[in-house]
Amino acid sequence: MTKLWGGRFSGQTDALVHRYNASIGFDSRLYDEDITSSAAWAEALADAGLLTGAERDDLLAGLEQVRGEFAAGLFAIAPDDEDIHSAVERRLTELAGPVGGKLHTGRSRNDQVATDFRLWLMRACDRIDAHLAEVQRALLHSAAAALDLPMPGYTHLQHAQPVTWGHWALSHFWPLARDRTRLAAARRSAGVLPLGAGALAGTAFPIDRARLAERLGFTAITPNSLDAVSDRDFAAEFLFFAALLGVHLSRLSEQLILFSSAEFGFVRLDDAYSTGSSLMPQKKNPDTLELTRGKSGRLIGHLTGFLATLKGLPSSYDKDLQEDKEPVFDAADTLELALPVMAGLLRSLELRPERMAAQLEAGLLATELADYLVRRGVPFRAAHHLAGQVVRRGEERGVPLTELSVEELQAISGEFGEDVAGVLSIPAALAARTVTGGTAPAALAAQLAAARAALDS
Ligand code: ARG
């Protein structure tokens, strides 16, 4: 029996129970963080007078050897290795000799795993943030290239008012900016060091936790050891970030799936980002977008599943917490693929202005009629009603409302004058919306500049 905790046991662990208990199958990807935190711990033990300088150096050298074996894919997991922490310590002791047995002084796997996991997540947050910025950059690029390109705007997926491609593209930029704020907050939450909490009550040795935190790149230390070994808020925050980002990516995907359909035809996906059908030779399917839309379900599942895992736990460590890693790893892996795929797809997206123009029908201008009357002093409710009558007259006559004569308009309201034609055009409708966030060229230029600034900040 070579289990870390084997001393008080006389019987063997049931083979199935060993498998059930073991997390090495998924937590070996924490090896680098485990070795980094162990090295810092060895330094802290030496600082506290619990290791001689020579012992510390032997441990550090041994740990680097273990790290090298992992990095080279040469680390052999032994049958009794329960998790990454026991595996590293077992191998360290094989390499460095009995001094390996001193490393775990004053430490528990409970504070160790929380430390490793936080370190891993901080690094993952940095990678994901860079991927997110790339998607934003791709949206910004697309927006800038067709900032003033008119297209129909929709509410309820029905023609509403004219907007522009740039306006639409930026509408998907800002949710990602908010996602990055949430990601930064999750990273900050992860950056609080639990090491020194021991199993639950705090280590009994004079460890300088603040120094340890600094060494490992944490910005604070946990204030309560019972909380420290069971706090997984940072993981939940990350999973919420991932779930909501998944929702945003799914909405963008859904809209691009629609826009690339024969019915809309506003965009064409590059061959590199679509796939064919094994049966229908003409098909070009938006599989990448569909996968991203589909994977958002899995991200939401990770969040709700993990919250359910946490909800019944008393403070301090419970083995339930071993369930924290797989959802977080999978969410991170999912995003680290979905985000670069989305960035590439957006960058290679072909716009089809003629198909957008074909949908710019006069109905999109009905609001302009009402606004025209409002500028003449007609109360908006009445103006809305009168503009509605114009729409109906056009339908009765089977012509777009822009084809009705001024006389016909005046029969509906005497407030209509010759100058009404001036507001009844797509460029005029766009130009009228100069408000911050609006679709007028100057407002869009300002928004684009704000987006650029947000990206570079
Ligand atoms: N593999 C465990 C986990 O992932 C490490 C901590 C185990 N602690 C314990 N007392 N059994 O949570």
Side-chain angles (χ1 to χ4, degrees), residues 50-285:
L50 292 153
L51 293 176
T52 65
E55 286 174 325
R56 176 200 57 207
D57 292 345
D58 286 350
L59 287 176
L60 293 180
L63 284 167
E64 289 317 315
Q65 239 179 305
V66 180
R67 199 197 304 268
E69 289 186 0
F70 268 107
L74 296 174
F75 188 94
I77 290 171
D80 264 332
D81 289 344
E82 185 180 312
D83 53 27
I84 185 61
H85 326 293
S86 49
V88 168
E89 189 181 324
R90 189 257 316 150
R91 184 65 184 139
L92 172 68
T93 307
E94 285 169 8
L95 291 168
V99 69
K102 290 199 169 188
L103 177 63
H104 214 52
T105 308
R107 175 177 84 163
S108 156
R109 279 182 297 160
N110 298 351
D111 56 351
Q112 190 181 356
V113 70
T115 301
D116 296 357
F117 194 32
R118 285 169 181 264
L119 262 182
W120 186 91
L121 190 61
M122 283 193 271
R123 293 172 173 183
C125 286
D126 293 341
R127 293 194 302 273
I128 290 167
D129 188 60
H131 286 307
L132 251 170
E134 277 309 306
V135 179
Q136 284 188 298
R137 215 160 273 132
L139 283 166
L140 224 144
H141 189 263
S142 182
L147 194 63
D148 298 329
L149 174 64
M151 67 180 262
Y154 300 82
T155 58
H156 312 269
L157 211 56
Q158 308 290 320
H159 278 190
Q161 292 173 339
V163 294
T164 74
W165 177 264
H167 199 176
W168 177 84
L170 289 173
S171 77
H172 287 279
F173 173 95
W174 297 108
L176 302 184
R178 298 192 293 273
D179 288 324
R180 290 181 69 195
T181 302
R182 275 181 285 273
L183 179 63
R187 193 197 190 283
R188 259 197 311 283
S189 295
V192 183
L193 179 77
L195 205 55
L200 75 164
T203 186
F205 301 102
I207 296 292
D208 184 344
R209 295 188 64 213
R211 179 123 191 251
L212 197 49
E214 215 174 292
R215 256 187 198 131
L216 285 169
F218 286 81
T219 51
I221 57 178
T222 54
N224 180 304
S225 60
L226 295 171
D227 180 37
V229 292
S230 57
D231 171 17
R232 295 294 184 275
D233 291 3
F234 61 96
E237 285 175 51
F238 174 76
L239 290 174
F240 174 67
F241 147 80
L244 190 51
L245 168 57
V247 168
H248 294 150
L249 293 175
S250 180
R251 294 180 60 197
L252 172 58
S253 298
E254 168 63 11
Q255 212 160 6
L256 288 174
I257 289 166
L258 281 173
F259 283 179
S260 66
S261 68
E263 282 70 15
F264 280 84
F266 291 178
V267 299
R268 209 179 265 130
L269 302 186
D270 192 86
D271 282 359
Y273 291 92
S274 28
T275 52
S277 158
S278 58
L279 190 147
M280 298 163 284
Q282 87 286 9
K283 290 296 289 285
K284 187 163 161 184
N285 293 329

Side-chain angles (χ1 to χ4, degrees), residues 5 21-24 26-27 82-85 108-110 113 232 317-325:
W5 37 261
N21 203 36
S23 51
I24 188 77
F26 50 84
D27 69 11
E82 185 180 312
D83 53 27
I84 185 61
H85 326 293
S108 156
R109 279 182 297 160
N110 298 351
V113 70
R232 295 294 184 275
Y317 184 82
D318 297 275
K319 189 74 169 208
D320 315 47
L321 290 169
Q322 184 166 285
E323 293 293 311
D324 59 359
K325 282 171 276 301

Side-chain angles (χ1 to χ4, degrees), residues 324-403:
D324 59 359
K325 282 171 276 301
E326 286 163 292
V328 168
F329 289 161
D330 186 74
D333 292 345
T334 299
L335 291 176
E336 285 191 66
L337 257 183
L339 289 168
V341 166
M342 182 60 92
L345 182 145
L346 288 168
R347 242 181 256 115
S348 61
L349 199 62
E350 185 192 327
L351 303 189
R352 302 177 72 194
E354 75 288 358
R355 294 296 306 253
M356 299 178 197
Q359 291 301 326
L360 291 170
E361 43 87 18
L364 289 158
L365 300 171
T367 311
E368 306 318 300
L369 282 178
D371 287 353
Y372 171 92
L373 292 174
V374 164
R375 286 190 197 100
R376 302 237 157 175
V378 180
F380 178 73
R381 273 295 143 230
H384 183 278
H385 191 77
L386 293 165
Q389 287 183 319
V390 175
V391 170
R392 203 174 62 215
R393 181 67 43 84
E395 275 174 5
E396 283 162 6
R397 284 205 35 218
V399 297
L401 58 87
T402 44
E403 303 282 296

